[in-house]
């Protein structure tokens, strides 16, 4: 009654899950670096409006990147779980 063989789709789903986790981690790290860079630009602007705007834009786009990558990660994980339910 117990299945002991390893199915190829289980291995593929596992690899995809690991890759999405790695990619999300890299994107989150880059976004945090972008936020820190934007904050540095704002703090070191010394009244230069161009640098303040550039810093605000860096922070805004970094936050947008985090949100989009979180949605993409969630969608991939939901799709993978649905596929594994179908294959089970």
């Amino acid at each position: 009654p117990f299945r002991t063989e390893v199915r190829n789709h289980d291995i593929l789903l596992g690899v995809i899950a690991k890759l999405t986790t790695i990619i999300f981690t890299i994107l989150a790290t880059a976004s945090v670096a972008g936020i820190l860079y934007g904050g540095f630009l704002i703090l070191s602007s010394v009244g230069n409006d161009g640098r303040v705007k550039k810093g605000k834009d860096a922070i805004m786009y970094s936050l947008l990147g985090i949100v989009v990558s979180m949605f993409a990660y969630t969608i991939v994980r939901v799709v993978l779980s649905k596929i594994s339910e179908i294959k089970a």
Side-chain angles (χ1 to χ4, degrees):
F2 297 106
R3 292 185 178 181
T4 57
E5 74 272 1
V6 176
R7 293 182 273 177
N8 287 336
H9 69 273
D10 290 337
I11 294 171
L12 179 62
L13 292 177
V15 168
I16 293 172
K18 291 271 189 202
L19 283 175
T20 56
T21 302
I22 291 169
I23 291 169
F24 176 73
T25 303
I26 291 169
L27 290 174
T29 303
S31 294
V32 169
I35 292 170
L36 292 173
Y37 174 70
F40 174 76
L41 285 177
I42 291 171
L43 289 175
S44 65
S45 67
V46 191
N48 184 345
D49 292 335
R51 283 182 65 123
V52 171
K53 182 182 179 339
K54 189 174 178 182
K56 286 181 180 179
D57 287 346
I59 292 171
M60 182 184 67
Y61 290 127
S62 296
L63 290 174
L64 182 64
I66 288 175
V67 170
V68 169
S69 64
M70 286 174 53
F71 277 124
Y73 179 79
T74 302
I75 289 169
V76 169
R77 296 302 287 207
V78 167
V79 169
L80 288 177
S81 71
K82 295 299 180 185
I83 290 173
S84 67
E85 287 175 10
I86 292 170
K87 297 287 184 182

